[in-house]
C-alpha cells in the first residue's frame, strides 16, 4: 500500500554560519523507506539563502549518504525528485532506505521549505 | 490502490502521549518543540507556548532537554517549570544567543528543579523588532536508554 508522508512540514530556519554551520534533521524524523520500491519527493522551497539544503539518503544508520537533490535558492514552484530502488548503488536517484534533510551554511542563512514523500 | 496519509502531529502524539512523557522505566524522546521561527516587529513582548503543548513530567524524576537555537536577536528564550498550571513559573534557562546545549532538569533537588509542567516562553524586546529560531527535544530517563530510530514509512 502506498503512503504519503511529510518528510518535513512547512518550516523556516534561520542562523549564522559561525554559530550553526549545519543543521541536520533529527534522527527520529528521518523516514525509513525500506519497505518500498519507488519514491517521489516533492520539494516546495520558498527560500534558501546563505547555504545549501540537501536531501540525502543512506541504507543503514552510520552509512555514507548519497545526495538525492540539493537547493541553493528558492523555487517558484514545487519540484519532484523520482527515486527508485532498482538503479545502481550510489546513483543519485536510487531510493535509499533512510531519507533525511540537511542544511549546510556558508554565511548568514535562511531556509523555508516543505518536503513530502510519496512511497509505493 | 488506497493511499494513506500519516499526519506528523498524530504520529508524534502517538509516540509521546500528546505531551506526556512516559512513566518511568524506558526512556522516551519527545519533540517538545519542532523547529520554530518567530518574528515580530516590536510591540509584542511575550510569546508563551500554548498550554496544550506544555510538557507534563508528573511521572519523571529527570528530564534532559536539548536546546538548539540557530538564531536570536533582541529576544530571550526562557525555559520554565512549575508545580501547577497556574504557576508560579521558575526559570530553568534563559538564552540570548545562538546555542546548542543540554539542560538537565531534576525533581530530586539541585539547581534545575522542575515540578511538573515545563514550557517555553520568548521574551522579546517590546521596543525593537525581534526574531528567534529554535527547537527543543526532551528525553526522559537515562539518555543511554533512549531507543531512537527513523520513522517507518
Amino acid at each position: 500500500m502506498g503512503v504519503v508522508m511529510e518528510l518535513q512540514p512547512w518550516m523556516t530556519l534561520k542562523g549564522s554560519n559561525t554559530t550553526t554551520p549545519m543543521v541536520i534533521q533529527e534522527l527520529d524524523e528521518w523516514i525509513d523507506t525500506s519497505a518500498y520500491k519507488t519514491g517521489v519527493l516533492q520539494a516546495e522551497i520558498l527560500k534558501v539563502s546563505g547555504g545549501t539544503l540537501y536531501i540525502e539518503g543512506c541504507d543503514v544508520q552510520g552509512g555514507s549518504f548519497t545526495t538525492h537533490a540539493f537547493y541553493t535558492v528558492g523555487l517558484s514552484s514545487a519540484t519532484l525528485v523520482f527515486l527508485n530502488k532498482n538503479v545502481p548503488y550510489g546513483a543519485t536517484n536510487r531510493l535509499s532506505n533512510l531519507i533525511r534533510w540537511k542544511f549546510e551554511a556558508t554565511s548568514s542563512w535562511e531556509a523555508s521549505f516543505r518536503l513530502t514523500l510519496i512511497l509505493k | 490502490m488506497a493511499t494513506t496519509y500519516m499526519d506528523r502531529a498524530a504520529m508524534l502524539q502517538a509516540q509521546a502521549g500528546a505531551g506526556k512523557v512516559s512513566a518511568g522505566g524506558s526512556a522516551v524522546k519527545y519533540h517538545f518543540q519542532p523547529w520554530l521561527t518567530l518574528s515580530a516587529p516590536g510591540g509584542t513582548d511575550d510569546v508563551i507556548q500554548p498550554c496544550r503543548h506544555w510538557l507534563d513530567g508528573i511521572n519523571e524524576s529527570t528530564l534532559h532537554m536539548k536546546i538548539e537555537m540557530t538564531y536570536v536577536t533582541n529576544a530571550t528564550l526562557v525555559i520554565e517549570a512549575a508545580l501547577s498550571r497556574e504557576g508560579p513559573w521558575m526559570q530553568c534557562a534563559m538564552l540570548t544567543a545562538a546555542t546548542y546545549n543540554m539542560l538537565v532538569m531534576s525533581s530530586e533537588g539541585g539547581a534545575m528543579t522542575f515540578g511538573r509542567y515545563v514550557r517555553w516562553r520568548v521574551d522579546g524586546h517590546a521596543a525593537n523588532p525581534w526574531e528567534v529560531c529554535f527547537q527543543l527535544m526532551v528525553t526522559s530517563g537515562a539518555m543511554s536508554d533512549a531507543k531512537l530510530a527513523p520513522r517507518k514509512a
Side-chain angles (χ1 to χ4, degrees):
Chain A
M1 183 180 290
V3 293
V4 179
M5 297 182 74
E6 279 188 320
L7 178 61
Q8 177 60 57
W10 278 114
M11 176 174 71
T12 298
L13 291 173
K14 187 170 183 176
S16 150
N17 66 318
T18 53
T19 54
T20 51
M22 185 188 297
V23 176
I24 299 175
Q25 187 179 30
E26 291 293 327
L27 171 65
D28 54 356
E29 296 196 343
W30 302 3
I31 292 181
D32 181 341
T33 69
S34 54
Y36 295 88
K37 292 179 180 173
T38 63
V40 181
L41 177 82
Q42 176 178 274
E44 295 163 275
I45 314 291
L46 289 185
K47 182 174 186 178
V48 170
S49 64
T52 305
L53 174 67
Y54 293 93
I55 315 301
E56 57 185 18
C58 67
D59 284 335
V60 292
Q61 282 186 49
S64 59
F65 282 86
T66 299
T67 299
H68 293 310
F70 65 93
Y71 306 93
T72 55
V73 295
L75 306 173
S76 58
S77 61
T79 61
L80 301 178
V81 180
F82 296 93
L83 303 167
N84 194 312
K85 283 261 163 68
N86 298 319
V87 293
Y89 179 83
T92 301
N93 58 346
R94 180 182 174 279
L95 177 62
S96 303
N97 285 337
L98 302 171
I99 305 283
R100 72 175 190 188
W101 60 257
K102 176 181 77 176
F103 191 90
E104 276 188 4
T106 52
S107 60
S108 292
W109 57 272
E110 195 167 355
S112 184
F113 60 97
R114 177 168 71 165
L115 303 169
T116 309
L117 190 60
I118 301 106
L119 295 164
K120 293 178 182 176
Chain B
M1 184 173 286
T3 297
T4 57
Y5 177 82
M6 182 178 285
D7 178 68
R8 180 172 172 280
M11 179 205 69
L12 288 173
Q13 283 191 353
Q15 188 182 47
K20 236 175 220 179
V21 292
S22 76
S26 60
V28 167
K29 188 181 180 192
Y30 173 54
H31 215 159
F32 183 42
Q33 176 58 61
W35 279 110
L36 175 69
T37 300
L38 290 173
S39 176
T44 304
D45 58 358
D46 230 10
V47 176
I48 299 174
Q49 185 181 29
C51 62
R52 66 182 181 279
H53 297 313
W54 296 355
L55 190 149
D56 183 351
I58 185 66
N59 294 317
E60 295 302 320
S61 58
T62 305
L63 295 172
H64 296 76
M65 180 180 291
K66 186 180 82 172
I67 302 170
E68 209 169 349
M69 186 156 67
T70 57
Y71 189 84
V72 59
T73 182
N74 292 329
T76 304
L77 174 65
V78 183
I79 309 299
E80 49 192 14
L83 289 172
S84 72
R85 288 179 178 272
E86 290 73 32
W89 291 86
M90 297 165 286
Q91 296 180 346
C92 299
M94 297 178 70
L95 304 157
T96 56
T99 184
Y100 177 88
N101 62 26
M102 187 72 75
L103 175 67
V104 181
M105 294 179 286
S106 171
S107 56
E108 298 171 341
M112 298 302 173
T113 300
F114 81 95
R116 176 168 182 176
Y117 295 103
V118 181
R119 73 180 186 186
W120 60 256
R121 176 167 60 85
V122 175
D123 187 6
H125 296 185
N128 302 304
W130 58 265
E131 198 165 6
V132 63
C133 179
F134 67 98
Q135 76 161 348
L136 303 170
M137 309 288 301
V138 170
T139 307
S140 69
M143 290 294 288
S144 56
D145 286 343
K147 292 179 176 60
L148 307 180
R151 294 179 274 163
K152 282 280 183 190

